[in-house]
Amino acid sequence: MITSTTNPQPADFADVRATNLAVVLRFVREHAPCSRADIAASTGLNKATVSSLVADLIDRRLVRETGLTENRVGRPATMLVLDGSPYAAIGVEVNVDYVTAVAVDLAGERLLSWRRSFPGPDGSTGQAVAAVAAIVRRVVSRMAKQERQVLGLTVGVPGLVGTDGTVLIAPNLGWRDADLAGDLAKALRDPGFAVQVENDANLAALAEHRFGSQAGTANLVYLTGEIGVGAGIILDGRIRRGGRGYGGEIGHIQLDPLGAECRCGRTGCLEAVAGIGAVLRHAPLSPAEVEIELDEVARLARAGDARTLGLLAEVGRQLGKGVAVVANLLNPEVVILGGYYVPLAPWLLPAVEDEARGRTIAPEGGGCRVVASTLGYDAAALGGAARVLDSVDSGRLPRVS
Ligand SMILES: [Zn+2]
């Protein structure tokens, strides 16, 4: 028998208020322009409560009244929209030799997108923290000039990130047991906003869920197409990290016991046989060199070069085996291929879909579509900003200044 030593407590008034503020904010995000009456009718909150909540959101400058009214029976209703102007959410992606920073306003409008070179695996963790802090300080200063308050910062890292934000291991960066969030908050001298760290694939999935061509899809898996391959998994509208936060390491599922050696020391891992390294003639390469080589691969494929088409079909079939694992296990509505897979998608996708359908027990791959990302190379950084907006939408509202 399961017993509990604590009796259930009534919800705190402040908690109820914060929850209701979040409900109204999300409604305005999804349905703006909308009226107070629309909010009351759809949320079940009474009109007086809605008026009080809206007044609070207007005080916090999260919502504003438009000049527009909608003519209804009776009085015309004043319409409400999100007020993006006073705030910014920042996302940063750390990669092997570059760091990307993105800032968006509350409504998700892009305010800036910067890419800078980065010390990468040759530098110490301290140098890496200093480099990330430097770009963040410049973004914060730009936002301050626009009189925007920073709502938060999320940094994406290609590696295992614990639920507490510690980077357990980021093999391509040479990091182990790095308290990136803590070190960064120190380097930024207590910046007055939350600093969070997250796996890059999880962030890219969040970006797709909020901003991508498949936005709003409740069951979505994003596969990073870098030298490494990771999965960001969204089920029932929520990111799934697993017990310690290390889920989604699809790159190290063994597809072929006799396959190529993986950087992890095992053989035939998905990323060894279907990562972008399997397409390139030379390894390891810098991202700039990878892009040049991929342009050449795409050119040869367009020209109908038989060897190139054969190679892409084989990589597509291997990737399809991985997608079938995802489809059989999670039954997502869509699998999105990101990173370097995007420019090769016209040749990869047919083989991926064919193989995945053939290996999925449910008919038609369980309804799972496979598409290429449309968000570009800063998807993970954009997802960092999306994660900040997600926490505002779930009730962590900025204080009235
Ligand atoms: Zn491996």
Side-chain angles (χ1 to χ4, degrees):
M1 195 175 107
I2 298 167
T3 58
S4 170
T5 52
T6 53
N7 295 317
Q9 299 290 315
D12 193 73
F13 173 76
D15 288 347
V16 173
R17 177 101 184 152
T19 304
N20 286 342
L21 284 167
V23 166
V24 173
L25 183 65
R26 283 200 302 272
F27 186 88
V28 176
R29 181 184 291 289
E30 284 161 25
H31 299 96
C34 59
S35 68
R36 289 168 176 79
D38 296 334
I39 298 169
S42 297
T43 60
L45 295 164
N46 73 51
K47 283 184 183 172
T49 305
V50 169
S51 288
S52 157
L53 293 166
V54 167
D56 195 339
L57 292 172
I58 290 174
D59 275 353
R60 292 171 200 255
R61 299 183 65 195
L62 293 165
V63 165
R64 65 183 171 83
E65 293 182 330
T66 66
L68 300 170
T69 56
E70 195 176 73
N71 286 317
R72 300 268 172 90
V73 180
R75 289 191 302 161
T78 305
M79 302 307 272
L80 303 164
V81 292
L82 285 184
D83 184 359
S85 60
Y87 297 107
I90 305 176
V92 167
E93 181 195 2
V94 177
N95 218 308
V96 177
D97 61 0
Y98 63 89
V99 54
T100 309
V102 165
V104 304
D105 71 10
L106 188 72
E109 287 300 315
R110 195 83 69 107
L111 301 171
L112 62 82
S113 179
W114 292 342
R115 184 183 272 209
R116 297 281 184 275
S117 64
F118 187 69
D122 302 329
S124 66
T125 317
Q127 280 176 296
V129 168
V132 174
I135 195 167
V136 169
R137 271 193 291 268
R138 283 201 291 273
V139 175
V140 170
S141 141
R142 174 69 65 91
M143 293 301 104
K145 273 187 199 137
Q146 296 179 9
E147 298 182 345
R148 289 175 188 275
Q149 181 189 335
V150 174
L151 294 165
L153 161 71
T154 312
V155 182
V157 176
L160 298 181
V161 179
T163 44
D164 62 351
T166 305
V167 182
L168 182 73
I169 177 167
N172 298 334
L173 296 170
W175 295 2
R176 269 181 184 280
D177 297 316
D179 176 17
L180 182 59
D183 290 349
L184 202 49
K186 263 181 236 151
L188 293 168
R189 300 209 172 89
D190 189 18
F193 51 80
V195 178
Q196 295 177 303
V197 177
E198 179 73 84
N199 170 268
D200 60 346
N202 289 351
L203 291 186
L206 288 175
E208 293 289 349
H209 189 249
R210 187 178 274 268
F211 300 116
S213 65
Q214 312 295 313
T217 305
N219 300 284
L220 168 165
V221 173
Y222 180 96
L223 298 184
T224 60
E226 308 292 333
I227 299 296
V229 178
I233 299 165
I234 290 179
L235 295 178
D236 300 328
R238 289 182 53 204
I239 195 87
R240 304 293 163 162
R241 303 180 178 87
R244 293 187 180 175
Y246 307 146
E249 287 300 321
I250 192 170
H252 302 287
I253 286 180
Q254 189 184 52
L255 293 184
D256 179 2
L258 305 173
E261 194 176 328
C262 181
R263 291 164 313 124
C264 74
R266 298 169 185 86
T267 53
C269 290
L270 183 145
E271 69 180 49
V273 299
I276 216 63
V279 178
L280 304 170
R281 288 161 302 164
H282 312 100
L285 298 164
S286 73
E289 290 170 312
V290 171
E291 282 170 37
I292 291 167
E293 267 224 32
L294 288 183
D295 282 348
E296 176 63 8
V297 172
R299 189 191 66 76
L300 287 168
R302 267 194 301 275
D305 177 70
R307 196 194 146 272
T308 303
L309 292 173
L311 175 68
L312 290 175
E314 174 56 20
V315 169
R317 276 193 293 275
Q318 296 289 358
L319 188 55
K321 289 185 195 174
V323 170
V325 171
V326 171
N328 279 316
L329 200 59
L330 304 174
N331 186 214
E333 293 157 77
V334 64
V335 170
I336 302 170
L337 306 183
Y340 299 128
Y341 286 139
V342 175
L344 303 178
W347 302 282
L348 293 174
L349 280 177
V352 172
E353 282 181 327
D354 205 42
E355 191 74 21
R357 276 168 196 234
R359 289 173 179 271
T360 305
I361 180 85
E364 299 296 309
C368 174
R369 292 170 293 117
V370 185
V371 303
S373 173
T374 54
L375 291 178
Y377 287 110
D378 59 4
L382 187 60
R387 187 176 157 178
V388 173
L389 296 183
D390 285 349
S391 79
V392 173
D393 283 358
S394 65
R396 232 161 290 152
L397 303 184
R399 268 175 251 122
V400 189
S401 53

